[in-house]
Amino acid sequence: MTPLLALLAVAVVAAAGLAVLVVDEVRWEARNRLPRCTTCGEQHPRHAAHR
C-alpha cells in the first residue's frame, strides 16, 4: 500500500506543477496582449492617438 501512496503523491505534485506552469503562461500572454480600445474598439497600444 505504501508504494501506491507514494505514486499518488508524486502524481499530485506533478499535476500541481503543471497547473502552475499553465497559469503562469496564461497570465504572461494576457499581460503582453494588446488591449481592446474602449473608444474605437480596435486593438492597439494604450494611449494611442485617436484622429
Side-chain angles (χ1 to χ4, degrees), residues 3-42:
L4 192 59
L5 288 176
L7 286 175
L8 179 62
V10 168
V12 168
V13 169
L18 283 175
V20 166
L21 289 175
V22 167
V23 167
D24 186 45
E25 180 69 19
V26 169
R27 290 181 66 201
W28 185 84
E29 286 180 6
R31 187 171 51 243
N32 291 326
R33 182 177 35 225
L34 287 176
R36 184 168 298 279
C37 181
T38 57
T39 303
C40 64
E42 297 293 323

